[in-house]
């Protein structure tokens, strides 16, 4: 896709911000120590990145999906972890609210998300309900003007620093599978809400992940999000956009790996000449570049199709995540191989990119789940 001047300018702005603000020192500290960089969070918010895809009427920038994927790609090209800071409020954090929130709910929460004042996370996964999200065991029982929530969510990105969570819970236990699940906006400061210890992860350090535990949490009925017993369909719609964001993140990771590999191959000498002169190396670079361009075209075109309301957009979002995440892992593997022993050393960026790439085939639906979605659409 040939980007118009408008989108080329956006890309330059996103890239300039990432290259200027995502310093090597910050990236290495986050990878080494974990935690969360609040200074960068607030700086991204000041630039409007937390609301790139959110409607202007709720304090966002009113951008489209193509603008969103360009931002995530450019941020991930420099640091996949920091890309998530701006990705979440534009996808999983705001998705359920935009899809089926009341006007009052939208006016209450979305401006807080867009401004970066508050953080809202998406709490669907449970210990026994990952790929099979229909196996949700968290419950919400009506009690007068309240619902009482009990259960445990796991692998919730951003939970330790969240102000609110969109929690999926079973409200009708007579309905089987994914039916009878509802959504609730849960204030993380409510009595009975707690979070587990941040997980020690292979990659994506610097964006904490933990359990959310709900013990007799009283949530007012006004915080029911969307129709009762029909929350799972909204989760699927939200995940469509989230999967496109993960695809863009994978694309950025792969682009970084390619650029680092080209640079290294030109500088590193063996047998009296740069290793880029060796056909084995040059062919790997050619394969990497071709796969990256194929993913980029798929992602950009899907972003446009999604905004146009194309019927096959949900399937294409799964195709994007499936292809781009697997591609990023192949490219990262080749990048480490090209760097040889140095690729295994933390002083070289491809070592961290290799670890960070791995999560893209797992979260927001594994590769196998994407294959199920794609095949299901084809075989209707």
């Amino acid at each position: 896709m040939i980007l118009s001047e408008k989108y080329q300018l956006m890309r330059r702005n996103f890239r300039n911000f990432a290259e200027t603000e995502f310093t090597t020192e910050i990236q290495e500290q986050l990878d080494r120590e974990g935690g969360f960089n609040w200074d960068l969070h607030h700086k991204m918010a000041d630039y409007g990145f937390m609301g790139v895809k959110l409607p202007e009427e709720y304090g966002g920038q009113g951008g489209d999906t193509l603008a969103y994927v360009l931002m995530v790609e450019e941020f991930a090209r420099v640091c996949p972890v920091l890309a998530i800071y701006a990705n979440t409020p534009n996808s999983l954090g705001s998705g359920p609210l935009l899809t089926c929130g009341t006007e009052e709910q939208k006016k209450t929460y979305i401006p807080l998300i867009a401004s970066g004042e508050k953080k809202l996370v998406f709490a669907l996964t449970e210990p026994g309900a990952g790929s099979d999200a229909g196996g949700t065991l968290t419950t919400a029982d009506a009690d007068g003007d309240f619902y009482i929530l009990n259960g445990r969510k796991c692998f919730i990105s951003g939970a330790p620093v969240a102000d609110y969570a969109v929690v999926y819970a079973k409200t009708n236990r007579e309905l089987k599978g994914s039916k009878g699940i509802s959504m609730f906006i849960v204030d993380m400061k409510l009595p009975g809400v707690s979070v587990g210890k941040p997980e020690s992860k292979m990659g994506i350090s610097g964006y904490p992940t933990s359990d959310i535990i709900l013990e007799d949490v009283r949530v007012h009925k006004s915080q029911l999000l969307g129709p009762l017993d029909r929350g799972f369909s909204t989760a699927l719609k939200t995940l469509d956009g989230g999967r496109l964001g993960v695809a863009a993140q994978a694309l950025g990771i792969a682009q970084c790996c390619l650029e680092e590999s080209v640079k290294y191959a030109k500088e590193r000498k063996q047998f009296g000449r740069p290793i880029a002169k060796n056909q084995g190396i040059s062919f790997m670079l050619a394969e990497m570049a071709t796969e990256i361009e194929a993913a980029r075209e798929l992602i950009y075109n899907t972003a446009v199709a999604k905004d146009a309301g194309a019927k096959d957009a949900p399937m294409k979002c799964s195709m994007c995540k499936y292809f781009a995440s697997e591609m990023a892992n192949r490219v990262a593997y080749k990048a480490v191989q090209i760097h040889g022993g140095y690729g295994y050393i933390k002083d070289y960026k491809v070592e961290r990119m290799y670890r960070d790439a791995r999560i893209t085939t797992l979260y927001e639906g594994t590769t196998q789940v994407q294959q199920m979605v794609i095949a299901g659409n084809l075989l209707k």
Side-chain angles (χ1 to χ4, degrees):
M1 178 184 292
I2 299 175
L3 296 176
S4 67
E5 182 60 34
K6 168 187 171 182
Y7 291 105
Q8 290 182 39
L9 179 59
M10 284 185 186
R11 161 167 274 167
R12 286 196 294 270
N13 288 338
F14 296 142
R15 179 169 293 195
N16 288 340
F17 179 87
E19 291 183 342
T20 302
E21 302 295 341
F22 298 175
T23 65
T24 300
E25 291 75 20
I26 289 174
Q27 295 178 55
E28 291 179 349
Q29 181 182 19
L30 286 172
D31 186 50
R32 183 175 62 252
E33 301 175 7
F36 188 86
N37 191 306
W38 285 104
D39 288 340
L40 266 177
H41 167 80
H42 292 304
K43 190 168 289 188
M44 287 185 198
D46 290 342
Y47 276 81
F49 298 142
M50 298 302 178
V52 160
K53 198 164 71 76
L54 301 181
E56 292 183 73
E57 62 199 281
Y58 303 121
Q61 301 301 308
D64 57 14
T65 304
L66 181 56
Y68 160 65
V69 298
L70 285 170
M71 176 187 71
V72 176
E73 176 192 354
E74 290 300 327
F75 284 4
R77 171 181 164 270
V78 179
C79 182
V81 175
L82 293 171
I84 302 174
Y85 284 34
N87 180 34
T88 298
N90 286 287
S91 61
L92 297 190
S94 61
L97 279 161
L98 291 173
T99 300
C100 60
T102 64
E103 192 61 24
E104 182 180 356
Q105 288 171 335
K106 291 176 183 178
K107 288 181 177 179
T108 299
Y109 295 104
I110 294 180
L112 297 175
I113 299 169
S115 68
E117 183 179 342
K118 300 291 183 181
K119 290 184 64 63
L120 188 151
V121 297
F122 183 86
L124 174 64
T125 303
E126 297 184 5
S131 296
D132 177 21
T136 296
L137 295 179
T138 296
T139 58
D141 297 311
D143 181 29
D145 289 334
F146 293 84
Y147 281 93
I148 300 177
L149 274 62
N150 282 282
R152 174 187 167 199
K153 300 295 180 177
C154 68
F155 302 143
I156 307 305
S157 298
V161 294
D163 298 287
Y164 304 101
V166 174
V167 173
Y168 290 77
K170 198 81 172 178
T171 44
N172 189 335
R173 299 177 211 184
E174 294 182 2
L175 298 177
K176 304 300 181 184
S178 61
K179 297 178 181 178
I181 294 175
S182 302
M183 300 182 295
F184 298 89
I185 304 170
V186 176
D187 188 329
M188 296 292 283
K189 294 183 177 63
L190 284 174
V193 179
S194 60
V195 297
K197 178 183 177 183
E199 304 286 358
S200 180
K201 299 175 292 187
M202 175 191 293
I204 307 296
S205 298
Y207 197 79
T209 300
S210 75
D211 289 355
I212 296 178
I213 299 94
L214 305 153
E215 298 176 295
D216 293 329
V217 179
R218 295 178 65 82
V219 177
H220 195 270
K221 286 187 174 180
S222 63
Q223 301 310 98
L224 173 67
L225 183 56
L228 184 68
D229 298 338
R230 293 169 58 188
F232 190 70
S233 61
T234 302
L236 296 181
K237 292 177 184 177
T238 302
L239 285 169
D240 284 340
R243 287 165 179 169
L244 195 55
V246 172
Q249 181 190 29
L251 177 60
I253 291 171
Q255 183 64 40
C256 174
C257 287
L258 175 63
E259 292 173 4
E260 292 292 317
S261 297
V262 169
K263 179 183 175 183
Y264 182 83
K266 288 180 177 180
E267 295 174 350
R268 173 66 169 166
K269 291 184 178 181
Q270 289 283 276
F271 306 106
R273 64 177 186 172
I275 63 172
K277 297 291 185 180
N278 297 324
Q279 193 176 76
I281 300 296
S282 65
F283 278 14
M284 277 198 282
L285 294 171
E287 290 169 356
M288 294 158 72
T290 302
E291 287 203 87
I292 289 169
E293 279 306 311
R296 182 171 285 118
E297 290 300 313
L298 178 60
I299 292 167
Y300 289 7
N301 279 285
T302 298
V304 174
K306 188 174 185 299
D307 283 341
K311 291 183 179 179
D312 62 350
M315 179 179 70
K316 286 185 174 179
C317 287
S318 282
M319 287 178 169
C320 286
K321 185 180 183 301
Y322 167 41
F323 183 76
S325 63
E326 293 290 340
M327 174 276 297
N329 277 271
R330 290 191 295 269
V331 167
Y333 173 91
K334 289 186 175 80
V336 171
Q337 196 70 15
I338 289 169
H339 281 71
Y342 290 108
Y344 205 65
I345 304 300
K346 290 184 180 290
D347 290 343
Y348 286 77
K349 194 169 185 177
V350 294
E351 183 273 339
R352 175 160 50 84
M353 286 292 182
Y354 182 78
R355 288 185 287 110
D356 286 348
R358 194 64 189 88
I359 189 62
T360 62
T361 66
L362 301 174
Y363 61 5
E364 297 189 36
T366 64
T367 289
Q368 288 68 39
V369 166
Q370 308 315 315
Q371 291 173 321
M372 289 166 57
V373 171
I374 296 165
N377 277 270
L378 293 174
L379 299 173
K380 281 182 179 178

